[in-house]
Amino acid sequence: MTTLPTLFSPITIRNLQIRNRILSTGHDTTLPTAFVPNDALVAYHRARAAGGAGLIVMQVAGVHETARYTSHLLMATTDECIPGYARVADAVHAHGCALFGQLFHPGREIMESQDGTLPVAYAPSAVPNERFHVTPRPLSLRMIDEIIAGYAAAARRLERAGLDGVELVASHGYLPAQFLNPRVNLRQDRYGGDDLARRRFIDDVITAIRAATGPDFIVGMRISGDEKDEEGLDADDVMAALVAFDGRFDYYNITAGTSAGIGSAINIAPPMMVAPGHTAPLSAAIRARVTTPVFVAGRINQPQDAERILASGAADMVGMTRAMICDPDMPAKARDGRLDDIRACIACNQACIGHFHMGYPISCIQHPETGRELTYGALVPAERPRRVLVAGGGPAGMKAAAIAAARGHEVILCEAGRQLGGQALLAQTLPGRAEFGGIVTNLAREMTLAGVDVRLNQPVTRALIDEIAADAVVIATGARPRAGHVEGAETGHVVNPWQVLRNEVNVGASVLIADWSLDWIGMGLAEKLARDGCRVRLVVDGYMPGQRIHQYVRDHWAGVLHDLGVEVIAYARLYGVDERTVYCQHATSGAAMVFEDVDTLITNLGHERVTTLEDELAETAIETHVIGDALTPRTAEEAVFEGLKVGVAV
């Protein structure tokens, strides 16, 4: 019996009853090939429909040739898209889930071209954006007519494919929002000059879609309730537009932010330092003023939070997209009251939108099966149960143990320390990173459900392997901080990040962080120590701090460090130290860079793998598998994925 009655009550939109209030919002998966839905995309959405989602909104589909904002979006400009969409619809509907598509034109928000040359972007006016540094070409009236017709034709194709509805994407500063925005739309013709004229584009689009589709076909609009940018639409602008459009759309899907601004783009997929459900006040204010049903999305990763938002009257449906990227079965688990079994999203952004920004298919650091459903969608039971010993209780070892046990093996996991988690235990101690510890909780629960025998304070040796009589050994013993060679280190106070995070050293009042890793460690330490009152200089051996982490996390952190007064120096390669003076070289010119009055030098120089057990077993006939940082130091994403792969293979 569910303890979430509002979340699991049905809702009717137009003439369609949706089984619950859980929505997977439109998000780019980078799975499609040739601009149409393929087997991988069908399998991806099938998994979430089977897991109990009420409604899935597919990723954006371009409605005009000028809408190609990436090289891997869907296009709905020809009938070639219909068979692929029909296959997704059949797969989703077979599990009782509703399916909508998104209709899209980015306007000036072009990320990349199709061939590496700079594309021509089209917008209401020639107003550049900040994030992609695009200066668009103003749309002619003839092209506006073509694009409006493109929206209608695309909607008709998706209806023919069997989808239940479409969503006009006016969120995040894309083309419809650009027409609404008086700071972006400088036109003085029928599409600009006053509020009524600036709304005409959306008005003409919805009119054209209604004329092209049947009476039961649903048409909604996604829009940012506040673009949270100086040049963007504010809450009053959006409210006025939605009140004016009230009754024209079947629902409003409320989010926040704009793609156009470096600081506001974080709202597209807010990382863990942003409060869960932060957009609910926006949707609540809108819902109080309109009769149109209101959906909301914005880091709603727990069903309990979703229930509170719905029960408070802030929205009629909730977007829980990353929650289902992390755990496709989240709705079913929540419905059945198995809340402790849910693998909660930690909003790290590393393998979901992080993969998208690198051009790779979507996944999840906790659930690498996501995006790989065709390969890992169903576990194959082991033909012959074996005794598997896993050495190391970090993310790699825990995932390997859980998967191997779920396949029927007898699995013993030994962790030398008193706690599971490895480096995740350190990551969660930094400001704004506490949620990262959720990866430990979630993987530990997976092991419990699979029946893994976990032994803490138990190092693995050859003698233990013989005693247990293991058929296979998985080495996941992790890594330790790399010291590197720092000239004169014996004369200064030189420490590593682990010592600081474990409170094993006194860092003094003036700190220099020499950051080679360019990951969360350098920026996180800088924030922590600045908040503790230290003078902090973050010296990075690269062109920016956080160079190797997702841009939303990095950009947000850059603002935090700036406001805290942290001095950031780029292109600085650590050379040496002489008592309270640190010496670096400019990474490109080789010129000396000297930093004085340093009480403590913190060297974030990466990690080195722990090889003790691997070396001990090297000359034996014992079947061994080396994964995670023990293979070579990287991130939690690779560790968990390799745990999955070895758990399937062993």
Side-chain angles (χ1 to χ4, degrees), residues 501-515:
L501 294 175
R502 289 171 171 170
N503 295 314
E504 295 173 350
V505 293
N506 177 12
V507 298
S510 178
V511 177
L512 187 142
I513 302 169
D515 184 11

Side-chain angles (χ1 to χ4, degrees), residues 382-570:
E383 291 183 7
R384 179 175 60 88
R386 308 171 73 199
R387 180 171 292 174
V388 178
L389 175 61
V390 179
M398 287 194 285
K399 186 67 173 182
I403 296 297
R407 294 183 55 236
H409 293 305
E410 178 189 353
V411 180
I412 300 167
L413 181 142
C414 295
E415 163 56 41
R418 59 184 178 85
Q419 261 184 299
L420 297 169
Q423 292 181 54
L425 299 176
L426 298 175
Q428 69 180 351
T429 64
L430 290 170
R433 300 287 288 180
E435 238 173 307
F436 200 87
I439 192 173
V440 181
T441 305
N442 294 333
L443 287 169
R445 183 63 178 172
E446 285 188 41
M447 289 199 299
T448 298
L449 293 173
V452 176
D453 178 0
V454 176
R455 303 179 186 181
L456 301 178
N457 299 305
Q458 178 62 74
V460 175
T461 62
R462 171 66 188 274
L464 181 67
I465 295 169
D466 292 341
E467 178 186 332
I468 289 175
D471 297 307
V473 177
V474 178
I475 299 175
T477 46
R480 61 173 69 90
R482 177 176 169 270
H485 175 70
V486 181
E487 188 74 27
E490 68 281 358
T491 70
H493 188 215
V494 182
V495 302
N496 67 55
W498 290 25
Q499 292 172 303
V500 177
L501 294 175
R502 289 171 171 170
N503 295 314
E504 295 173 350
V505 293
N506 177 12
V507 298
S510 178
V511 177
L512 187 142
I513 302 169
D515 184 11
W516 172 87
S517 292
L518 305 175
D519 54 15
W520 55 269
I521 300 172
M523 298 188 84
L525 279 174
E527 179 183 355
K528 172 181 169 59
L529 296 174
R531 291 192 184 281
D532 288 344
C534 296
R535 178 196 177 190
V536 180
R537 282 169 279 186
L538 178 59
V539 176
V540 300
D541 192 357
Y543 49 81
M544 70 174 78
Q547 183 176 315
R548 297 172 60 227
I549 59 179
H550 183 252
Q551 60 183 262
Y552 295 164
V553 180
R554 178 189 67 232
D555 294 345
H556 176 81
W557 237 333
V560 170
L561 297 186
H562 177 269
D563 292 346
L564 289 171
V566 173
E567 303 168 59
V568 177
I569 301 95

Side-chain angles (χ1 to χ4, degrees), residues 118-143:
L118 294 177
V120 177
Y122 292 86
S125 304
V127 178
N129 61 10
E130 175 185 65
R131 185 159 164 243
F132 300 126
H133 297 273
V134 169
T135 300
R137 177 180 172 87
L139 283 162
S140 66
L141 289 173
R142 184 173 72 176
M143 188 174 283

Side-chain angles (χ1 to χ4, degrees), residues 36 62 65 75-82 157:
V36 294
E65 280 303 304
M75 291 296 290
T77 50
T78 72
D79 289 353
E80 292 179 5
C81 73
I82 294 174
R157 291 185 180 101

Side-chain angles (χ1 to χ4, degrees), residues 196-233:
L196 183 63
R198 284 189 290 269
R199 293 172 191 152
R200 183 166 284 119
F201 178 78
I202 293 177
D203 190 69
D204 287 354
V205 168
I206 182 62
T207 298
I209 292 173
R210 292 291 190 201
T213 57
D216 289 334
F217 195 63
I218 292 169
V219 184
M221 179 166 67
R222 190 177 201 200
I223 191 166
S224 297
D226 186 337
E227 291 187 352
K228 298 183 179 293
D229 185 83
E230 286 186 6
E231 299 300 316
L233 293 167

